[in-house]
Amino acid sequence: MLCQWLLDEDRRHRLWIKNVPDSKLTSDCNKGYVKVKQIGTNPTSIDNVDIAKDQGVKLKPGHILYMVNKLYPYTIEFVRGSGQSDSRDQQKKGASKRPHENSQNKSIETKCSKMQSNDVLDVNKSADDTSSEQQQHSSQSAVGHWSQGLKVSMQDPKMQVFKNDKVVVIKDKYPKARYHWLVLPWQSISSLKALRSEHLDLLEHMYEVGENIIQEHSTLSKAKFRLGYHAIPSMSHIHLHVISQDFDSPCLKNKKHWNSFTTEYFLDSKDVIDMIKIKGSVEVKDGTSELLKSPLQCNVCKVQQTTIPQLKEHLKKHWT
């Protein structure tokens, strides 16, 4: 069953599902999520995680909302209603172009200068502060909210560098290092929270594919590579980052970009696999989002730097 809220950039909408008076749903289309509040006795859950009474949880595209002991599964999808945002689009058209409208011949510096500043979702902030990696929304070719952008990119032959019957590897649209790819399964898995023991073979295959990609490019980079997942990603559909540790990219622009890949916010692929083997699921520690505010620290020598430009200048000593 699909509950669908039409995109309205000026208003918030509230929905009480008929005959299910135990939950209240408030959708904020401008920020791209639905706030679910448990108000009755019948249990409600998101991706098999129960919501406590009077607790409010954000439901994002790709997640599944279960009502009344999982009898009623719902998903959400943000779509543009006909005529609702045409005038606004016309106003924006002359003012500035979105990243996807840039010419393919323009440099990566030009692309990155027009994207948003954050790379991951900080649970203490709104979805407006989302990733540059996540600015993969396209008004013509993409369908739905920007958080579904990976599902569009993984189908794009121009983005693909490898694929088989289980996974596809694409170039990160806004790389945070000289070499940055994403390994995505064809199987629909919304996030780390949805992983279970039956996904072990797939996770190990994703790791092997990532290792093969590294082997193909290891002779071109002095820096090491890492394979891992963001603990709290903002893009729906699970994806494994394969990234060189030089972090030499104009798309790496702020502290959150840096800390999302150099602190425990970035979970090593092997650690995720081991966690599934032992516990049957992935647990994210409380306070993980606070890691994004950590001081800027060199990932090689651990010397702290004050600003991103200073950090980048410092990194040159290690990789040039």
Side-chain angles (χ1 to χ4, degrees), residues 45-300:
S45 59
I46 294 178
D47 283 346
N48 297 314
V49 178
D50 290 338
I51 304 173
K53 192 174 186 302
D54 296 323
Q55 179 185 7
V57 179
K58 292 179 181 178
L59 174 68
K60 291 178 286 186
H63 293 175
I64 301 177
L65 171 67
Y66 294 96
M67 311 289 286
V68 190
N69 291 309
K70 299 186 179 180
L71 293 176
Y72 305 99
Y74 293 86
T75 60
I76 65 167
E77 179 180 340
F78 290 89
V79 298
R80 287 188 180 276
S82 59
Q84 281 189 338
S85 56
D86 291 344
S87 60
R88 186 176 292 249
D89 288 342
Q90 290 297 324
Q91 293 172 3
K92 289 182 178 180
K93 187 175 181 181
S96 62
K97 292 185 178 181
R98 294 177 180 175
H100 71 274
E101 293 172 318
N102 292 334
S103 168
Q104 293 182 352
N105 295 326
K106 289 189 177 181
S107 66
I108 190 171
E109 288 83 1
T110 303
K111 278 172 57 179
C112 294
S113 67
K114 294 189 177 182
M115 64 191 178
Q116 296 296 322
S117 61
N118 195 5
D119 181 68
V120 290
L121 179 62
D122 184 346
V123 295
N124 295 318
K125 294 198 174 188
S126 73
D128 286 348
D129 295 323
T130 46
S131 160
S132 56
E133 166 197 316
Q134 286 74 33
Q135 302 308 309
Q136 301 183 37
H137 56 298
S138 167
S139 61
Q140 295 180 351
S141 60
V143 177
H145 190 253
W146 57 260
S147 64
Q148 302 293 311
L150 288 179
K151 296 180 180 181
V152 176
S153 295
M154 64 189 289
Q155 302 286 347
D156 185 355
K158 294 180 181 179
M159 299 288 290
Q160 297 171 352
V161 296
F162 172 84
K163 66 178 179 178
N164 59 23
D165 61 336
K166 293 183 178 181
V167 301
V168 60
V169 181
I170 64 174
K171 296 174 286 187
D172 192 288
K173 211 165 189 179
Y174 302 100
K176 301 303 182 293
R178 294 177 188 174
Y179 302 96
H180 191 179
W181 302 277
L182 305 176
V183 183
L184 305 101
W186 293 115
Q187 181 180 350
S188 180
I189 303 174
S190 61
S191 66
L192 290 179
K193 292 182 179 180
L195 291 174
R196 295 295 181 266
S197 298
E198 59 264 28
H199 298 122
L200 270 174
D201 288 344
L202 177 60
L203 293 174
E204 290 174 345
H205 181 69
M206 291 170 66
Y207 175 82
E208 291 173 2
V209 170
E211 282 286 348
N212 290 338
I213 295 293
I214 291 173
Q215 291 300 319
E216 293 176 8
H217 296 82
S218 59
T219 57
L220 303 176
S221 175
K222 294 181 181 180
K224 296 180 180 180
F225 285 78
R226 285 187 71 189
L227 299 94
Y229 304 86
H230 282 142
I232 311 174
S234 54
M235 294 297 282
S236 180
H237 199 76
I238 192 168
H239 51 285
L240 171 66
H241 291 269
V242 182
I243 184 168
S244 60
Q245 298 299 285
D246 50 78
F247 297 105
D248 181 15
S249 170
C251 294
L252 194 148
K253 302 177 69 174
N254 58 49
K255 181 182 287 189
K256 291 179 181 179
H257 290 167
W258 176 257
N259 287 327
S260 69
F261 285 100
T262 60
T263 67
E264 292 182 0
Y265 195 98
F266 191 70
L267 305 176
D268 278 324
S269 178
K270 286 187 175 181
D271 290 341
V272 170
I273 292 173
D274 289 343
M275 200 180 303
I276 295 292
K277 287 180 178 178
I278 297 171
K279 300 181 178 181
S281 63
V282 176
E283 295 181 1
V284 177
K285 297 178 181 178
D286 292 340
T288 294
S289 63
E290 293 300 307
L291 293 171
L292 297 176
K293 303 175 184 178
S294 301
L296 295 172
Q297 187 178 72
C298 175
N299 61 318
V300 180

